[in-house]
Amino acid sequence: MPPKQPSPTSPRDQRPSKLRPASSPVKNTYLLAYNAVSAALWAGVLYKTVTIGAHEVQNARKAGSFFGRNELQSAAAGLASGKVFNELERYTRIVQSLAGLEVLHSLVGIVRAPLITTLMQVASRFLLVWGIAYNFPATTQHSPAYSTMLLAWSFTEVVRYSYFVFTLSGLGVPPLLSFLRYNTFMILYPLGISSECWLVYQAIPAAKLVDERIPYVLWAILAIYVPGSYVLFTHMLKQRKRVQRQAPPAGSAGGYDEAREQRIMKKMRSIKLKQAMEQKNSS
């Protein structure tokens, strides 16, 4: 049996030509609302991460000029102030928890995303927001990796959910949004993965104080991250190549227009049916 295609709410990367509006108007409306709300919530995470982080980095830069720190040291000191964590930890935990609905969507068949893949990807995020940041704030609050992780997550999710909103609405995806979806991951994915791994690693000593068995679990998770991230990253590169092959020629309107594609397919079916009838009549 061939594998199921990713759905509009699947965390997996997708080819635009495989995206289809939901067959039921109610289902389509629900998925459109879900993706729109998710995009807005993650936009809040992105905005606060950038504004708070930039403010703290600027303050650290001013102090760094007095203490003789370079730009990189000042940036790290600013992101380690703890302000991003204090302002966003609870909010991000709630927003990311909403993604648990994607597992439910796959389970009950609202979308065609593979359940195991969706579950694994959502679980990895839950590990960070609930298992690490929530349970071990002392090791997370003042780590610059928390800010860089939120930056990578939020930018990626704003682009991803916005992409699905345009697809489900039938308006066609703007070229810029399509470009961001299939190119920014080359920077944001390594940034997010490395930040996640560092936060898990930093939590190991604190986890040992809670239960001596927890560090073994965290080490096992880190061991899985390496091959898992490689497989997913190469998969995303393949998807990017497929999208590039499907891209409209230079000078065209650009963007993926699903309604236009459906009209073309309908016209082709009509032509084939007409040809078949003509052949039948001639025989």
Side-chain angles (χ1 to χ4, degrees), residues 227-249:
S229 60
Y230 172 78
V231 171
L232 184 56
F233 187 74
T234 53
H235 168 74
M236 295 163 74
L237 286 174
K238 292 178 181 178
Q239 294 290 66
R240 178 176 179 268
K241 290 181 180 179
R242 291 174 182 172
V243 171
Q244 287 178 332
R245 287 198 297 266
Q246 295 175 348

Side-chain angles (χ1 to χ4, degrees), residues 52 81-90 141-142 146:
I52 297 173
S81 68
K83 292 290 182 64
V84 173
F85 181 91
N86 294 339
E87 292 289 333
L88 285 171
E89 187 277 324
R90 184 173 182 271
Q141 180 180 9
H142 297 287
Y146 184 77

Side-chain angles (χ1 to χ4, degrees), residues 96-207:
Q96 181 55 54
S97 296
L98 179 64
L101 287 174
E102 296 188 4
V103 177
L104 181 62
H105 294 164
S106 178
L107 182 63
V108 301
I110 295 178
V111 298
R112 293 176 293 173
L115 177 61
I116 299 301
T117 302
T118 304
L119 181 61
M120 290 177 61
Q121 292 175 335
V122 172
S124 65
R125 292 283 188 90
F126 275 30
L127 168 67
L128 269 300
V129 297
W130 286 101
I132 302 299
Y134 180 69
N135 284 303
F136 304 107
T139 65
T140 308
Q141 180 180 9
H142 297 287
S143 175
Y146 184 77
S147 296
T148 54
M149 180 185 74
L150 292 193
L151 178 64
W153 283 8
S154 58
F155 192 95
T156 299
E157 298 295 49
V158 168
V159 171
R160 182 171 73 93
Y161 285 118
S162 299
Y163 183 93
F164 296 147
V165 167
F166 279 99
T167 301
L168 288 163
S169 66
L171 298 175
V173 180
L176 177 59
L177 188 60
S178 183
F179 173 83
L180 292 175
R181 173 156 172 74
Y182 291 103
N183 288 276
T184 54
F185 76 88
M186 290 188 288
I187 297 175
L188 296 178
Y189 185 75
L191 177 64
I193 287 294
S194 58
S195 299
E196 293 173 30
C197 289
W198 182 249
L199 291 175
V200 173
Y201 173 76
Q202 282 188 311
I204 290 177

